[in-house]
Amino acid sequence: MEIAKEPRAEVTRRAIINSAATSFIHDGYSSASLNEMCARAGVTKGAMYFHFSTKEDLARALVAVYSDKILSTLGAMPELSGWGIESLIDWTFAASKVIATDTQTKAGARMMQEIGRRNGVSDSFMADIAKHVETHLDQAVASGDVQSEISMDLVAQNLVMQLRGLQEEAAGDAQAFKGFVQALNVWWQLALAALVPVSRRSYFYEFLRRRTDRAQAEFAG
């Protein structure tokens, strides 16, 4: 059976997006050149403008890739880790991996920083993330894994701030993300000490240790 070829327009669009991602990672939004993007993608400016009217349209497309990837990663956690603290630990490491290893997602994270704040997209995205995070935390409270007197709203906001830090590391290379994995481990140790009852801490510290080791092995590979 003959496999249908991908429409030429889709092939061209993907080539432009990939080229734009490389330019935005290396040069940032302001310095990125549409001419260089076209040359790298092997398309004319006319072909680019057929798909994207402006450089900001390209940046917004990559922001959409980034937000979709991060939200889908968080949404997949209940199936992989259940609900609660384990899922949030897993998610923060999984999010760092996808940004470190996927060019479009990495570029989208940088564009979220550079253009997302001025048009409100970043704040809206962070609010969506915070709502998901709070749902996981509420489940952790119900399971007895988090001390109920702590404000889950404030904890969710703090976790979201960690994601902002992840975005700021988005232009780094793999070595920079190895450092981020260690920083994430330290943050989680502090968070667990504050959130989790003493009787449950040893379990979560061991879970965190194993997840950190796995993340480091993934980056080393």
Side-chain angles (χ1 to χ4, degrees):
M1 180 178 177
E2 186 177 350
I3 299 175
K5 291 184 179 179
E6 189 175 12
R8 182 182 295 274
E10 287 303 313
V11 173
T12 300
R13 186 181 188 281
R14 187 172 65 251
I16 294 168
I17 284 281
N18 287 336
S19 179
T22 299
S23 292
F24 287 139
I25 289 170
H26 290 163
D27 303 322
Y29 179 77
S30 297
S31 299
S33 164
L34 289 177
N35 288 332
E36 289 182 10
M37 292 179 198
C38 290
R40 187 185 297 111
V43 302
T44 64
K45 264 197 171 179
M48 176 176 282
Y49 288 135
F50 176 80
H51 293 278
F52 303 98
S53 300
T54 63
K55 184 165 67 172
E56 183 162 341
D57 283 348
L58 275 165
R60 284 174 177 270
L62 287 162
V63 165
V65 169
Y66 166 71
S67 58
D68 288 348
K69 276 279 177 69
I70 298 302
L71 284 168
S72 64
T73 301
L74 180 55
M77 285 302 110
E79 294 181 12
L80 300 175
S81 310
W83 290 91
I85 296 295
E86 296 99 322
S87 62
L88 291 177
I89 292 172
D90 259 349
W91 170 65
T92 54
F93 283 102
S96 68
K97 180 184 178 183
V98 76
I99 293 177
T101 57
D102 184 88
T103 300
Q104 289 189 15
T105 307
K106 183 186 292 189
R110 180 163 183 175
M111 292 303 98
M112 182 72 85
Q113 289 292 104
E114 294 191 17
I115 72 165
R117 287 183 177 178
R118 73 173 186 235
N119 59 25
V121 172
S122 179
D123 289 341
S124 175
F125 170 66
M126 291 300 176
D128 285 343
I129 290 288
K131 279 190 271 187
H132 283 284
V133 168
E134 195 167 352
T135 300
H136 285 260
L137 289 170
D138 287 341
Q139 184 61 45
V141 171
S143 301
D145 291 334
V146 169
Q147 301 175 71
S148 58
E149 65 270 17
I150 298 173
S151 167
M152 292 304 104
D153 179 58
L154 290 177
V155 175
Q157 290 178 36
N158 198 281
L159 258 174
V160 168
M161 288 173 64
Q162 292 301 305
L163 183 59
R164 285 193 187 275
L166 187 87
Q167 289 178 0
E168 291 170 2
E169 294 289 338
D173 56 19
Q175 193 64 36
F177 275 92
K178 287 182 185 178
F180 184 79
V181 166
Q182 273 303 322
L184 194 56
N185 174 277
V186 170
W187 183 87
W188 269 114
Q189 289 185 54
L190 296 172
L192 292 174
L195 293 173
V196 178
V198 174
S199 61
R200 296 286 288 149
R201 285 179 196 169
S202 60
Y203 164 77
F204 283 108
Y205 285 146
E206 178 61 17
F207 183 90
L208 174 62
R209 183 191 67 78
R210 291 176 180 274
R211 190 62 183 86
T212 303
D213 288 348
R214 194 173 99 199
Q216 289 177 323
E218 290 169 345
F219 286 127

